[in-house]
Amino acid sequence: EGNVSSPTDTYSYPDIAIAPDGYVGMVYGNGSGSVYSKWNGTEWTHENVAADTYPDGLVFNSSGTPHVVYHDSSSNYLYAYQSGSSWISEVVGSTVATTAADIAVGSDGIFRILYNYDDSWGVCRFYLLTGSFGSWTSDYYVPGFSCFNQGALQIEMNDTVPYILSYQSTSGGIFKLTT
């Protein structure tokens, strides 16, 4: 229902999620940083999440608070959540080069952040962070192919089990992570 803003704006790295109240939220890069927009039923509202960053994923918790994972030009992955009219953020990972990331929340209310990169030996690693602000545990998985030219990376939850969709020009697939 309506455009987010004028058609002359530049958008990159978009993601969309539905809040528990049924309204649509989205994050996107506008050339200056990461922006969160929400449709309130009559118009879009816009908030800057962080300058000089690129959003990767958006999810709402059960109370409707938006949570975002994004990356910066220094190859850091950051997590942020909305607190009133501010965004609280922290660095959750760093890679040789940013490729792709996403965020999901399980039925247990615990967040999972997924990101990947090729290590110095050309081996792709999926890093799965589990937890919440200031308290993350990290596991990694080696899917057996290069992350180079990673076209998509997405995580979704089935109760508390993370599933990954990974697409790359020569390989990829859907993976169920088990620990």
Side-chain angles (χ1 to χ4, degrees), residues 122-158:
V123 175
C124 182
R125 294 179 189 267
F126 292 139
Y127 280 85
L128 179 66
L129 306 176
T130 303
S132 61
F133 191 86
S135 179
W136 299 97
T137 59
S138 177
D139 290 307
Y140 73 87
Y141 306 86
V142 180
F145 55 82
S146 172
C147 293
F148 183 70
N149 289 332
Q150 184 76 42
L153 183 65
Q154 188 171 359
I155 184 170
E156 293 295 334
M157 300 298 297
N158 178 6

Side-chain angles (χ1 to χ4, degrees), residues 9-29:
D9 284 350
T10 304
Y11 301 107
S12 60
Y13 305 94
D15 196 22
I16 189 169
I18 307 298
D21 61 8
Y23 291 113
V24 176
M26 61 183 272
V27 291
Y28 57 92

Side-chain angles (χ1 to χ4, degrees), residues 18 35 165:
I18 307 298
V35 176
L165 171 65

